[in-house]
Amino acid sequence: MVVVDSESATILRVKGLLEFRCQLDSTDEQLVRNAISRTFETLRSQVKSESCVLAVSDSPVIIWPNKDAYATPEEITPSTPCEDMHQWIQADEQETSGKKSSKKKSKKSSLASVINLRLMTEVTKPGPLSAPILTKTVLKSHFVSVTLPLDCVVRTGRSDTIKDACEQLIEALTHQLCEMEKVTLQNMKGMTLLVPEPVHFLLPEPKGLVTVVYPAGVPDSQLVTQRKELHQQFELPDDRPYFRRANAYHFPNEPYKDGYLRNPHLALTHPTLDNGKVYLVQGIYSYHHYMQDRVDDNGWGCAYRSLQTICSWFQQQGYVEKPVPTHKEIQQALVDVGDKQASFVGSRQWIGSIEVQAVLSHLLGLTSKILFVSQGAELASKGRELANHFLTEGTPVMIGGGVLAHTILGVAWSETTGQIRYLILDPHYTGAEDLQVITDKGWCGWKGPDFWDQTAYYNLCLPQRPKVI
Amino acid sequence: MGRGYIVQDDVEGYLSKLCEQKADPVTGLLIGQSSTQRDFVVMAIRTPQKEESAAAARNSVDKEWVTEHARQVSRMLPGGLSVVGVFIITDADAKDALTTLRQLLFAVENLISSEHLWDPADDDVTDCVTLQINPKTRKTVCRTFDIKDPKSVAKPADWKYQSGLCSSWATVSCSLNVDMLLPLPNNRTSTGNMEECLKKGLKAWAHQIECGLCLIDGKRLPEDSELTVGQRRNLRQTYTAQLLITTENKRLTDVIRQCGGSVSVTGAIHSRAYLHSNKPKARQAEKLLKRDVVSTVATRVQMMLEELLASDQESKGSCRDKQQKELFCLPHRIFCPLKVSGPLCVCDYQFSDEDLSEVPERLKEMLDIDAAEEDLDTRQEMTVEITGCDVTPEPTQEKVEAPEHKKNYIGVAMATAVALLATVASMLYLNDI
């Protein structure tokens, strides 16, 4: 659900499992490495051979990329433009209904379209061929048996044909196998081997989607050197993470397993103010609200939910690995820092911005700034501060005051006229994760300055990004 | 409404000739194809004579022998053709004969299906036929049993002779690469261990084939469509299939293990399946071809293992630190047409050290068909020449094993098969119904 490119490029993603098997005759390190390299070379030849096949998911299209892009059905030729493949794909109705918005009518939206392909092997060949041989090798040795999870992404331009796409895909697959070989050999310790896993990251334009191979099971904390190299290679600032596993790009057609909506604000049209600009939260957050997770917090949990939304942002940007805390965990944290009595845990007591700041600090090690306004009417004058916050930190803001708590996801502000609008995510919503309802009824929506209680005082908690990669 | 079997008219003549023989009883197998719409029988095969059998034994039915013959015959049938039933020619009491037939049928079908590496499908027909013929009156009694149900009772069925049956069949075929590498367990690597290891590997590979994508004549046909959909009438009714597979099993842990060596099977096989050509369905073609692919590889491996056991080729396990490498050529597949006209063929496997002349002899003994060497189609698979191959840097002992063969094929096969399947066989007979 992230805007990729205004040029409506087609992204081709090929996934497949390749079996890596070999017998290690000796434990001598160099010989072992040679055997592993040889097996990778065999796999690379396999990918470049005529038995390599790409099957387009949810469609009858099958392509032989190394046979001059021969394809079936016969209407598809090597010179067919890649974009045409969309016509052959049966879209899954259930997935697109979640994204339906009355404001986006055209199919060719600015969301990049992804075509998924499966890597397959053709085992048949025109005969006659030689009958099989059984080879038996008896030797006390080691056997390596791994399935390599290949996952490559290629971005094609408007005018690219199937043939062009095939060349790019095969190159991407061979390159990934080389990367996997490197990572495997780097991480071999004696007779143990870590599985190389590709992860995709979306970098700021024009770099786009980039794939990195990480060794499975090694936590982010041990991969700092690799990330430093990557930041240098891609000329990225060294104070925010781009390559943590949690930063992995989420493809538009993949549902989130946890069921929470991501970035519902993207379905809205943003207001236009005279000489005004829109300043929004950066990155991905989940929408947390009343009644979720089978917790009935209707009437008292709004600040907790806003805090959960903030935690989800830090988790999905890769700053923390801890999952989003529950109400009880939040309450326990406040008891642990001495802010509340033990009886607080399990109660339905409200919390405010100060408590939110305390929990973010104690549970997740994050610092936050507190902004105070003595009257709601003053909020209209905080345009510059909020705009700056979204520009530099880009984190969701929790605002509490009167009897309500909300989350601010952005502002539209005009420096000259002082006009201001607030993008609000309302934790008081009690319904289901229905994007249509949430945006139509304004549970996520743009509000004017009169949204606030003009006489009540408000505290805002502005979480700060840690300067790490 | 019972089942109706449409039978090639030659079979009538064959059964008639058997009636004229002095022996009683004469048992045999019925070969054909059963589908949800129709049942066809294309040939009947008498059980071969056991060489050294006592005079008394000749007048009774040797269940073990009949079953073993059926197992051997089943290996010689390409996809689409199978043992669909048993017959007996006897003037004994009808009820006794039916009981015998029932026992034979269940034993035969259970043994054959126990060797299958695939799971039964929902649309498989589980009814099989028994035929009882009185040699004097030539009266035939035809009944079916559902072999999935051990308590199944006999149901009447029709038996109708028809000419020209053998010419109306469609053939789907392909040549397929096999490339398996499996670790051997880290203890005494006898042939028995290799067998277990190969069986596991074959089962996993068979699953890959079963789940594979099948293209017929380059097209992916919708499930319920017919083979001839969208094409001009393919007069010769031959189709070429392609199989695309993926790996399903994710192996991400315990990736390096200790082993006692490895065994690999690499090469290609020719696979074929027949469908009766009255509206042949794409789904059935795919199912029958995939089953033939799996069984032809499994059969060859099994035959090789049986030969190794028979000629006592245990690996000299003492010097296991020095690498010992042995290469065995799996037998290659030879086809023999059932009739001069018509596409149906049976097949046999020829080891690299056997003379081609042995094939017609086996065809006569097992399938009771008269074939000349010239009739045999040996062009579908090529034999491989093994020269010394230096794959490893260390000096290896390489020997190309040529297992020895004896003339009484079924006898040898029987002995080794019983050795390998001792447990299974005894369980079958213990569960006699």
Side-chain angles (χ1 to χ4, degrees):
Chain A
M1 288 176 106
V2 178
V3 175
V4 174
D5 194 7
S6 56
E7 248 205 41
S8 129
T10 302
I11 293 184
L12 300 175
R13 183 181 186 193
V14 60
K15 284 170 77 168
L17 295 171
L18 277 187
E19 273 198 47
F20 179 104
R21 287 180 169 219
C22 71
Q23 188 184 356
L24 298 174
D25 294 344
S26 93
T27 49
D28 173 280
E29 199 189 311
Q30 192 52 48
L31 291 180
V32 166
R33 295 172 81 88
N34 290 349
I36 301 230
S37 292
R38 267 202 308 270
T39 314
F40 269 106
E41 186 53 42
T42 312
L43 289 177
R44 283 191 287 268
S45 319
Q46 202 180 310
V47 157
K48 291 191 278 207
S49 74
E50 294 194 340
S51 65
C52 172
V53 176
L54 303 172
V56 179
S57 302
D58 301 318
S59 92
V61 179
I62 301 176
I63 308 173
W64 281 256
N66 302 306
K67 269 181 162 182
D68 289 320
Y70 168 77
T72 177
E74 46 188 21
E75 290 91 329
I76 306 211
T77 70
S79 48
T80 307
C82 278
E83 287 186 325
D84 285 8
M85 285 217 274
H86 288 290
Q87 300 164 13
W88 291 89
I89 297 178
Q90 233 178 357
D92 187 5
E93 293 306 316
Q94 285 173 334
E95 288 200 317
T96 49
S97 69
K99 286 198 240 172
K100 232 187 334 176
S101 163
S102 50
K103 287 153 184 138
K104 278 199 163 59
K105 295 243 170 82
S106 78
K107 266 244 140 145
K108 288 215 174 107
S109 65
S110 52
L111 292 170
S113 43
V114 179
I115 296 183
N116 288 298
L117 302 108
R118 266 169 77 204
L119 179 66
M120 303 184 83
T121 311
E122 179 177 353
V123 284
T124 44
K125 254 174 148 155
L129 302 166
S130 304
I133 302 179
L134 191 152
T135 310
K136 175 173 149 189
T137 313
V138 176
L139 176 69
K140 218 165 161 180
S141 51
H142 289 84
F143 194 82
V144 184
S145 172
V146 169
T147 22
L148 299 174
L150 270 91
D151 188 347
C152 292
V153 169
V154 150
R155 199 198 301 199
T156 56
R158 273 217 133 128
S159 53
D160 280 339
T161 62
I162 301 269
K163 190 154 199 276
D164 298 324
C166 283
E167 281 171 16
Q168 291 183 59
L169 284 165
I170 298 301
E171 207 194 297
L173 285 166
T174 350
H175 177 77
Q176 186 161 97
L177 281 168
C178 287
E179 293 284 290
M180 286 184 161
E181 180 182 344
K182 240 193 300 187
V183 169
T184 304
L185 291 175
Q186 262 173 10
N187 290 283
M188 270 207 83
K189 284 197 185 83
M191 280 295 154
T192 58
L193 189 152
L194 297 172
V195 183
E197 262 177 353
V199 187
H200 306 292
F201 299 100
L202 184 62
L203 301 182
E205 287 302 318
K207 301 177 193 99
L209 270 176
V210 146
T211 309
V212 176
V213 176
Y214 281 135
V218 176
D220 283 332
S221 51
Q222 289 178 28
L223 294 168
V224 180
T225 339
Q226 281 89 327
R227 290 203 297 279
K228 278 208 175 106
E229 282 176 20
L230 287 165
H231 275 247
Q232 272 186 341
Q233 184 188 339
F234 290 100
E235 290 165 1
L236 294 167
D238 60 357
D239 66 346
R240 59 175 56 187
Y242 285 94
F243 291 107
R244 296 201 182 192
R245 282 205 178 83
N247 297 121
Y249 177 59
H250 182 87
F251 287 85
N253 51 0
E254 275 176 344
Y256 284 96
K257 293 192 192 92
D258 57 18
Y260 297 111
L261 286 182
R262 300 309 199 266
N263 292 26
H265 72 275
L266 292 178
L268 304 170
T269 341
H270 305 310
T272 38
L273 308 172
D274 292 334
N275 271 330
K277 282 223 290 249
V278 171
Y279 305 85
L280 292 177
V281 64
Q282 300 170 32
I284 304 178
Y285 62 88
S286 313
Y287 181 20
H288 290 264
H289 57 80
Y290 277 172
M291 309 303 283
Q292 280 177 339
D293 321 314
R294 298 209 188 98
V295 175
D296 182 350
D297 58 337
N298 193 345
W300 60 273
C302 45
Y304 294 81
R305 297 294 184 182
S306 177
L307 173 54
Q308 284 178 336
T309 298
I310 292 173
C311 292
S312 80
W313 186 93
F314 280 94
Q315 190 219 10
Q316 290 178 85
Q317 262 52 247
Y319 289 102
V320 305
E321 287 176 1
K322 270 210 175 96
V324 172
T326 61
H327 290 60
K328 284 229 171 84
E329 284 165 350
I330 292 170
Q331 291 172 333
Q332 186 61 51
L334 288 167
V335 170
D336 291 346
V337 295
D339 190 66
K340 300 276 185 251
Q341 305 275 12
S343 55
F344 181 61
V345 180
S347 72
R348 294 168 166 209
Q349 289 183 44
W350 298 352
I351 56 174
S353 317
I354 308 299
E355 284 86 356
V356 168
Q357 180 192 42
V359 174
L360 285 174
S361 166
H362 179 70
L363 271 186
L364 307 182
L366 303 167
T367 47
S368 326
K369 290 205 179 118
I370 296 288
L371 199 60
F372 170 76
V373 291
S374 52
Q375 287 180 24
E378 268 179 57
L379 272 169
S381 65
K382 297 296 177 187
R384 186 184 301 279
E385 276 194 72
L386 287 170
N388 269 336
H389 169 83
F390 287 111
L391 267 180
T392 53
E393 306 302 326
T395 58
V397 171
M398 178 263 173
I399 177 167
V403 293
L404 301 173
H406 290 93
T407 312
I408 304 180
L409 296 175
V411 285
W413 176 63
S414 164
E415 203 171 338
T416 49
T417 65
Q419 277 186 301
I420 188 168
R421 297 279 181 283
Y422 307 87
L423 179 55
I424 302 295
L425 188 67
D426 197 335
H428 301 91
Y429 174 61
T430 54
E433 314 314 316
D434 186 332
L435 184 63
Q436 186 87 36
V437 168
I438 288 165
T439 48
D440 284 353
K441 303 286 187 204
W443 294 102
C444 176
W446 288 97
K447 314 288 179 191
D450 50 335
F451 179 72
W452 312 110
D453 181 337
Q454 302 295 299
T455 55
Y457 68 82
Y458 283 92
N459 269 322
L460 292 84
C461 175
L462 284 69
Q464 307 292 297
R465 276 186 194 253
K467 302 281 179 279
V468 291
I469 62 166
Chain B
M1 250 299 273
R3 299 196 83 89
Y5 287 84
I6 301 179
V7 188
Q8 174 68 22
D9 52 6
D10 298 15
V11 173
E12 185 171 27
Y14 180 83
L15 292 172
S16 229
K17 263 216 226 102
L18 289 179
C19 288
E20 287 157 19
Q21 290 181 359
K22 287 217 195 79
D24 183 307
V26 177
T27 55
L29 307 171
L30 297 165
I31 310 297
Q33 179 173 94
S34 274
S35 70
T36 41
Q37 301 123 329
R38 297 252 173 103
D39 302 293
F40 301 100
V41 174
V42 297
M43 75 191 271
I45 309 172
R46 52 97 190 96
T47 309
Q49 290 276 28
K50 212 167 166 177
E51 271 192 356
E52 324 88 14
S53 53
R58 277 183 208 252
N59 290 337
S60 64
V61 173
D62 185 342
K63 257 198 312 246
E64 260 186 45
W65 189 252
V66 173
T67 327
E68 180 52 29
H69 175 234
R71 190 174 80 98
Q72 295 292 321
V73 164
S74 174
R75 288 177 171 181
M76 300 170 86
L77 300 173
L81 295 178
S82 59
V83 175
V84 294
V86 292
F87 69 82
I88 193 166
I89 300 177
T90 179
D91 60 2
D93 176 56
K95 239 175 68 170
D96 290 339
L98 188 63
T99 314
T100 312
L101 278 175
R102 190 179 191 280
Q103 289 178 339
L104 284 178
L105 186 67
F106 273 81
V108 160
E109 294 297 333
N110 285 337
L111 178 58
I112 292 177
S113 51
S114 72
E115 298 204 327
H116 289 165
L117 286 176
W118 56 83
D119 300 317
D122 291 332
D123 57 351
D124 283 345
V125 172
T126 51
D127 286 315
C128 293
V129 65
T130 61
L131 193 71
Q132 180 190 338
I133 308 166
N134 186 310
K136 299 197 181 70
T137 65
R138 303 293 165 93
K139 179 165 167 248
T140 56
V141 175
C142 179
R143 299 270 182 272
T144 56
F145 292 91
D146 180 355
I147 51 151
K148 236 180 23 193
D149 176 10
K151 296 206 184 71
S152 162
V153 291
K155 285 194 291 256
D158 285 333
W159 186 263
K160 228 188 306 188
Y161 290 106
Q162 187 179 303
S163 70
L165 186 62
C166 275
S167 45
S168 47
W169 293 80
T171 310
V172 181
S173 66
C174 68
S175 286
L176 187 141
N177 261 325
V178 181
D179 192 359
M180 265 186 261
L181 181 64
L182 308 161
L184 286 172
N186 192 11
N187 45 34
R188 226 178 85 71
T189 353
S190 60
T191 310
N193 272 335
M194 184 165 76
E195 183 202 355
E196 236 185 80
C197 160
L198 280 167
K199 271 213 167 85
K200 238 173 73 177
L202 282 171
K203 193 114 216 276
W205 170 78
H207 182 74
Q208 272 187 335
I209 297 286
E210 220 182 328
C211 300
L213 212 72
C214 183
L215 302 174
I216 297 188
D217 277 354
K219 286 194 184 42
R220 212 174 150 180
L221 296 176
E223 280 263 300
D224 286 318
S225 75
E226 292 171 17
L227 276 185
T228 45
V229 145
Q231 297 176 10
R232 280 197 324 218
R233 186 164 160 66
N234 184 340
L235 286 174
R236 287 202 55 212
Q237 297 257 42
T238 54
Y239 304 86
T240 309
Q242 286 166 281
L243 271 181
L244 313 174
I245 61 171
T246 52
T247 309
E248 303 287 312
N249 277 330
K250 267 193 169 172
R251 193 183 183 90
L252 299 171
T253 53
D254 195 25
V255 297
I256 303 191
R257 299 167 277 172
Q258 286 196 324
C259 68
S262 68
V263 62
S264 80
V265 179
T266 46
I269 53 105
H270 176 88
S271 170
R272 194 182 281 196
Y274 300 109
L275 289 104
H276 193 260
S277 60
N278 184 11
K279 299 195 188 183
K281 287 257 171 40
R283 195 211 316 223
Q284 205 192 7
E286 180 178 335
K287 176 175 84 171
L288 294 173
L289 185 70
K290 283 176 174 175
R291 287 178 174 180
D292 183 73
V293 165
V294 169
S295 59
T296 185
V297 173
T299 297
R300 293 174 216 222
V301 169
Q302 187 68 17
M303 288 176 76
M304 175 58 72
L305 291 170
E306 287 168 3
E307 285 297 334
L308 289 179
L309 210 64
S311 34
D312 205 24
Q313 297 276 6
E314 295 269 341
S315 62
K316 325 292 188 262
S318 51
C319 49
R320 266 183 30 241
D321 289 328
K322 212 168 36 156
Q323 178 171 295
Q324 235 196 345
K325 198 172 186 161
E326 298 169 271
L327 280 78
F328 306 99
C329 287
L330 294 184
H332 73 286
R333 200 178 199 183
I334 297 184
F335 292 90
C336 176
L338 269 187
K339 294 177 83 65
V340 175
S341 67
L344 292 180
C345 292
V346 290
C347 66
D348 190 23
Y349 294 96
Q350 182 195 12
F351 279 94
S352 47
D353 63 333
E354 279 184 314
D355 195 63
L356 190 61
S357 59
E358 299 187 32
V359 176
E361 287 177 24
R362 260 201 300 273
L363 290 173
K364 180 67 189 168
E365 185 188 341
M366 293 293 182
L367 304 180
D368 204 12
I369 61 177
D370 300 298
E373 261 183 64
E374 307 87 66
D375 303 330
L376 302 177
D377 177 6
T378 59
R379 292 164 304 125
Q380 300 301 334
E381 291 179 3
M382 299 180 337
T383 41
V384 113
E385 300 231 350
I386 300 185
T387 52
C389 39
D390 352 275
V391 177
T392 57
E394 289 144 13
T396 61
Q397 294 174 6
E398 289 174 5
K399 348 174 211 154
V400 176
E401 296 300 339
E404 294 162 18
H405 301 271
K406 301 184 192 141
K407 283 295 182 180
N408 182 356
Y409 304 108
I410 185 171
V412 172
M414 175 70 171
T416 56
V418 170
L420 284 172
L421 300 172
T423 328
V424 179
S426 60
M427 278 181 65
L428 276 177
Y429 300 126
L430 282 174
N431 291 340
D432 234 355
I433 357 85

